[in-house]
Amino acid sequence: MYPGARWGTDWLQAGCGQPAAVGVRSLYTQCVRIRIWFEGQPECPEICGICSVQSVCMMGRCLNLRLCDRFPNSLPMVSSDGYAGDPSSIWAGYMTEKFSPATGLGNCHLQTVFGRFHRPSPWIGTECRWYETPDGDCLALHAPHFLEDDPSSPLVLVLHGLEGSVASPYVQGLMASLLERQFQVAVMHFRGCGGVPNRLPRAYHSGDSEDPRWLVGQLQEAFPSTPIMVVGYSLGGNVLLKMLGEDGACSRIVAAVAVSSPMDLHACSRRINTGLSKLYQRHLLGCLRMTLRQKAADPGMAAALPNVDDGASFVNFRRFDHVFTAPLHGFRSVDDYYTQASSKPLLRDIRVPTLIINAIDDPFVCPSAIPSQREVSSAVRLGVSERGGHVGFVSGSLWQPTYWLEETIPRFLCSVIGGNPRVRLP
């Protein structure tokens, strides 16, 4: 037994620096969960009498909630951060999507990484067009076919995740599904992604809504009769939701889907700095460091950037954002960046039909970052599932997997355009 632990169904709120034990009893089982937190320790060890599923960090500090396979709905909990644990805000429309993970792929980490190993190589070729931005930089737009102004064939613009590209398996899979249904599709590379350094010291960040907004304007001018829809994954999803909230009724987009979006960057930066999620953090920071080193090969650019060889700048996302993201993009501090770039406060202002898809077990996204229905506008549909990992959502079986997102996203977009005679419903 851990020091300071206690069994029970009561809620405890401990002051900072004090051991905190929180016990929760499931409503319909006798599964007792105990959470223990100590100041300075990144994870909360636990004792459970019955179930053995993975725990989900809620606040990155002391609030952890375990999901019991036998009955997932548990009583709320209290953390030393003062989070009240209201289930409607924690679970945010819990199980509004009936996603079932593939047999053998129920674990959130398997859901997260499976697609990259199952479909490691891109199979859809694209042509790239470069757009000169107003500030003297450039954006790449990849499309598998020549784009045309056709009101019967909507154009779907895809925004990838952190250090992603048109070659990312989830992007390739969505492109294939959309093309099969007669959509036009194009993928925007955020600045510096895709292996080509951008021209300016700044690059892109989780709240960078100006670039996709500007590109959507360019596309609308080129194809004025074509409906434009946007799908964003992870970082790209948060960027998309922020843009939709900022634009409100003036948005030029007719429909949107955001997948696995970190809508509260404060909470999500803590989430990814705990437990096995640190492995993803280490990998992504390694990718960012390689991109920055490639960019810093130009002596003039190296002089304008923080020291890319300082390993201390890459120990976690908060440190990286403090050293690189915030100063290079005009934020006062890392906390100012997280506050201004988080899309969650803007979700009530969205006026475009929007589907937000998240999994409670996402190893990147803190469940408290997922909104409840009262935190979004009537134009937003919440698609929250118990499982799915981060941009995973693999169903079927391990031997015959199917990619649930590649059916769900086109189905939603088709529902928005209604009786379009050309686009084929899934």
Side-chain angles (χ1 to χ4, degrees):
M1 177 68 89
Y2 294 99
R6 55 179 286 188
W7 294 95
T9 59
D10 54 332
W11 308 346
L12 302 178
Q13 183 166 357
C16 292
Q18 300 296 320
V22 181
V24 168
R25 188 180 299 277
S26 170
L27 294 178
Y28 289 97
T29 74
Q30 294 302 308
C31 175
V32 178
R33 276 141 285 210
I34 287 191
R35 296 293 172 268
I36 307 162
W37 171 74
F38 294 91
E39 177 71 27
Q41 293 190 3
E43 298 182 60
C44 303
E46 68 175 62
I47 301 170
C48 179
I50 296 177
C51 66
S52 58
V53 295
Q54 181 177 353
S55 98
V56 180
C57 174
M58 299 293 291
M59 297 297 289
R61 288 186 61 195
C62 83
L63 176 59
N64 279 266
L65 184 62
R66 186 177 190 124
L67 213 57
C68 179
D69 276 333
R70 295 178 58 182
F71 188 80
N73 294 325
S74 298
L75 296 172
M77 302 174 67
V78 179
S79 77
S80 64
D81 286 5
Y83 184 73
D86 175 10
S88 63
S89 60
I90 291 178
W91 298 116
Y94 179 76
M95 290 299 290
T96 59
E97 288 296 331
K98 300 186 184 306
F99 165 75
S100 297
T103 303
L105 294 176
N107 180 275
C108 67
H109 302 294
L110 294 177
Q111 283 284 323
T112 300
V113 304
F114 179 80
R116 179 164 295 278
F117 293 100
H118 180 236
R119 304 189 294 187
S121 301
W123 62 94
I124 297 178
T126 59
E127 296 291 330
C128 177
R129 175 180 173 183
W130 288 95
Y131 286 79
E132 299 285 329
T133 62
D135 62 353
D137 214 332
C138 54
L139 288 175
L141 185 71
H142 288 257
H145 300 302
F146 182 76
L147 301 179
E148 57 184 358
D149 192 18
D150 183 351
S152 68
S153 183
L155 170 59
V156 180
L157 178 66
V158 181
L159 306 179
H160 59 77
L162 182 66
E163 290 299 279
S165 72
V166 69
S168 298
Y170 57 87
V171 174
Q172 290 277 307
L174 180 63
M175 282 199 299
S177 182
L178 291 171
L179 291 172
E180 181 182 343
R181 292 165 174 81
Q182 305 302 314
F183 284 92
Q184 300 184 79
V185 60
V187 181
M188 186 195 93
H189 277 183
F190 287 100
R191 302 190 193 202
C193 291
V196 181
N198 66 308
R199 299 170 183 167
L200 301 179
R202 63 147 295 180
Y204 69 105
H205 60 84
S206 293
D208 192 8
S209 55
E210 288 301 323
D211 280 351
R213 178 183 292 112
W214 177 82
L215 185 58
V216 166
Q218 296 296 301
L219 293 172
Q220 189 178 54
E221 289 181 10
F223 313 110
S225 300
T226 303
I228 297 177
M229 303 172 167
V230 184
V231 177
Y233 291 89
S234 193
L235 174 147
N238 185 69
V239 168
L240 168 59
L241 294 172
K242 179 173 176 283
M243 178 176 69
L244 292 170
E246 290 168 340
D247 293 349
C250 298
S251 177
R252 300 177 176 182
I253 299 168
V254 300
V257 181
V259 180
S260 299
S261 307
M263 292 167 276
D264 179 346
L265 296 178
H266 292 282
C268 293
S269 69
R270 295 191 295 266
R271 172 71 181 100
I272 203 168
N273 197 38
T274 62
L276 289 178
S277 298
K278 289 182 178 180
L279 296 177
Y280 304 110
Q281 179 177 243
R282 183 185 305 169
H283 169 73
L284 290 169
L285 287 170
C287 293
L288 287 166
R289 192 173 189 179
M290 288 178 60
T291 298
L292 286 165
R293 280 176 168 167
Q294 183 182 11
K295 192 171 180 176
D298 177 349
M301 188 65 70
L305 292 171
N307 183 9
V308 300
D309 294 320
D310 182 6
S313 300
F314 299 87
V315 293
N316 55 45
F317 273 118
R318 183 174 177 83
R319 181 63 183 172
F320 173 83
D321 291 331
H322 169 74
V323 175
F324 285 92
T325 310
L328 288 175
H329 297 91
F331 297 101
R332 297 190 304 273
S333 65
V334 60
D335 288 314
D336 180 49
Y337 162 49
Y338 287 166
T339 298
Q340 292 198 46
S342 294
S343 63
K344 191 176 181 182
L346 300 171
L347 299 180
R348 289 192 181 93
D349 300 322
I350 294 176
R351 298 295 179 265
V352 170
T354 301
L355 172 61
I356 297 177
I357 299 175
N358 281 90
I360 297 298
D361 70 351
D362 191 323
F364 289 45
V365 178
C366 182
S368 68
I370 302 173
S372 65
Q373 194 62 55
R374 68 172 182 266
E375 294 176 297
V376 302
S377 75
S378 60
V380 175
R381 173 187 163 190
L382 294 177
V384 182
S385 67
E386 175 187 344
R387 299 184 182 178
H390 188 75
V391 195
F393 298 94
V394 184
S395 56
S397 70
L398 182 61
W399 301 273
Q400 291 184 313
T402 57
Y403 291 87
W404 180 81
L405 289 173
E406 293 161 21
E407 297 295 326
T408 301
I409 293 173
R411 185 181 301 116
F412 174 78
L413 298 178
C414 287
S415 72
V416 173
I417 59 177
N420 191 308
R422 178 171 171 181
V423 171
R424 184 161 61 85
L425 292 172

